[in-house]
Amino acid sequence: MDRLTSMAVFVKAVDLGSFAAAADALGLSGPMVGKHVRSLEDRLGVQLISRTTRRQSLTEFGLVYYERCRVVLAEAQAADALAADQLSEPRGKLRVTMPVHFGRHCVTPVLLELARKYPALELDLSFNDRIIDLAEDGYDLSIRTGVLQDRAGLIARRVARQPMIVCASPSYLELHGYPQTPEDLAQHSAVVYRRSGPVPPWLFPGPGQSSSEVTPLHRFRFDDLDAIADAAARGLGLAWLPFWLVGRRIESGTLVRLLPEQQPFQYDCHAVWLQTPHLPLKVRVAVDALAAQLPSFMNLK
């Protein structure tokens, strides 16, 4: 007999207190219930249920085996649910938190296309540059850029890498000249990003895993990437920005990419979610879509 079926019959007989009650609940005959239990006992070589003419009761081993059978059956049901989940469509509310600009320009188009594909999927999107506590704030997914801090109970998957490039307006370059190396940048004025604390340096890959750091002179410090791009386009200084943000400005000639021979620094982008035995289909589909489509927004042309 099938061992899993026999375990299910055995558990039902214990739960309901008799073979007859288990037979009625499972649509089997009483003797067939007995055969399933005896099949387990023969396989194990141990008696599970003590049976008399008046009553039946679990043996000491039978009680331990019963608890393990419940665990096995629950895992089997979870596996079946996972398979059913794979064959169904994502549905329900998907709550995602993401950085303001990266989220609006890159993540949102992917998720909106996903929602168009799956009409039963709802989107609840939050644009915020703060690090959000997924469990406390009730989010299914967080999109984060840069270096991740190790946090227990979280799973992360890299979904893209942002190349950072140096750019400036033609008018600025006519007045101040073209820097030829990263070291030259220290002699130029810049519009820099700062949200809190010191101004982060501009990074450039070096040999191996090393990166060189440059902090150019700056009069202007903004915590908004679009504002930095606009100021650079007005000739107020160099800017170090992700390509996806300034690609169209470069194509139109409003900005010029500098140091084209220099390998750009790549900022990692991760999808982060709470560790769980069974990842909901809506989250898994969203992460897969982001990993498949976000790189196309990042590519340097």
Side-chain angles (χ1 to χ4, degrees):
M1 291 184 173
D2 178 71
R3 189 189 311 182
L4 204 60
T5 302
S6 295
M7 286 181 174
V9 172
F10 166 63
V11 167
K12 183 65 72 174
V14 174
D15 288 343
L16 297 181
S18 71
F19 286 7
D24 287 342
L26 298 172
L28 301 173
S29 66
M32 181 56 70
V33 172
K35 285 183 180 180
H36 277 290
V37 175
R38 284 191 295 274
S39 173
L40 291 176
E41 292 176 329
D42 291 343
R43 180 188 295 272
L44 297 167
V46 180
Q47 188 176 15
L48 299 173
I49 296 178
S50 296
R51 294 176 288 274
T52 67
T53 55
R54 293 185 177 183
R55 61 188 296 271
Q56 66 178 39
S57 59
L58 284 172
T59 64
E60 184 178 353
F61 177 80
L63 178 59
V64 175
Y65 188 71
Y66 163 76
E67 295 295 341
R68 296 305 303 169
C69 284
R70 291 186 63 183
V71 172
V72 170
L73 292 170
E75 288 295 328
Q77 290 174 350
D80 289 346
L82 180 63
D85 202 19
Q86 289 277 14
L87 297 174
S88 65
E89 287 192 354
R91 61 184 63 249
K93 184 186 296 183
L94 178 67
R95 299 197 70 210
V96 186
T97 176
M98 64 194 80
V100 175
H101 294 93
F102 184 69
R104 185 167 67 239
H105 288 280
C106 303
V107 177
T108 298
V110 176
L111 295 182
L112 289 178
E113 185 58 34
L114 196 68
R116 187 193 305 275
K117 182 178 180 181
Y118 299 110
L121 183 65
E122 303 176 29
L123 296 180
D124 188 340
L125 307 183
S126 174
F127 302 87
N128 199 311
D129 290 328
R130 292 187 301 107
I131 300 299
I132 301 296
D133 187 309
L134 293 177
E136 182 177 333
D137 295 305
Y139 284 96
D140 300 299
L141 192 62
S142 175
I143 308 302
R144 297 180 183 171
T145 61
V147 179
L148 290 180
Q149 296 179 349
D150 289 334
R151 295 282 300 275
L154 295 178
I155 303 295
R157 176 182 174 186
R158 190 173 71 189
V159 291
R161 305 191 79 190
Q162 302 180 79
M164 303 291 294
I165 64 170
V166 181
C167 55
S169 70
S171 62
Y172 176 91
L173 296 172
E174 287 177 10
L175 286 174
H176 302 283
Y178 286 69
Q180 300 300 313
T181 67
E183 291 73 23
D184 293 344
L185 301 177
Q187 309 304 317
H188 284 262
S189 298
V191 186
V192 299
Y193 178 85
R194 184 176 75 87
R195 185 172 61 192
S196 61
V199 172
W202 296 2
L203 303 175
F204 299 91
Q209 299 297 317
S210 65
S211 295
S212 60
E213 299 182 356
V214 176
T215 304
L217 301 171
H218 49 271
R219 290 174 54 207
F220 306 102
R221 296 169 294 277
F222 303 156
D223 66 357
D224 184 284
L225 297 180
D226 274 325
I228 293 174
D230 289 342
R234 290 175 177 268
L236 296 178
L238 309 181
W240 188 61
L241 293 167
F243 174 77
W244 55 261
L245 183 68
V246 294
R248 291 185 179 177
R249 290 179 170 95
I250 292 173
E251 287 181 358
S252 68
T254 305
L255 289 173
V256 177
R257 181 188 174 189
L258 304 176
L259 310 179
E261 302 303 319
Q262 169 68 46
Q263 278 290 104
F265 183 82
Q266 303 273 357
Y267 264 117
D268 288 338
C269 313
H270 291 89
V272 182
W273 61 90
L274 292 172
Q275 188 172 15
T276 176
H278 174 50
L279 186 64
L281 179 62
K282 61 184 180 181
V283 178
R284 185 167 60 253
V285 168
V287 173
D288 288 344
L290 291 169
Q293 298 178 46
L294 280 182
S296 65
F297 289 84
M298 309 293 112
N299 290 337
L300 288 168
K301 297 178 183 178

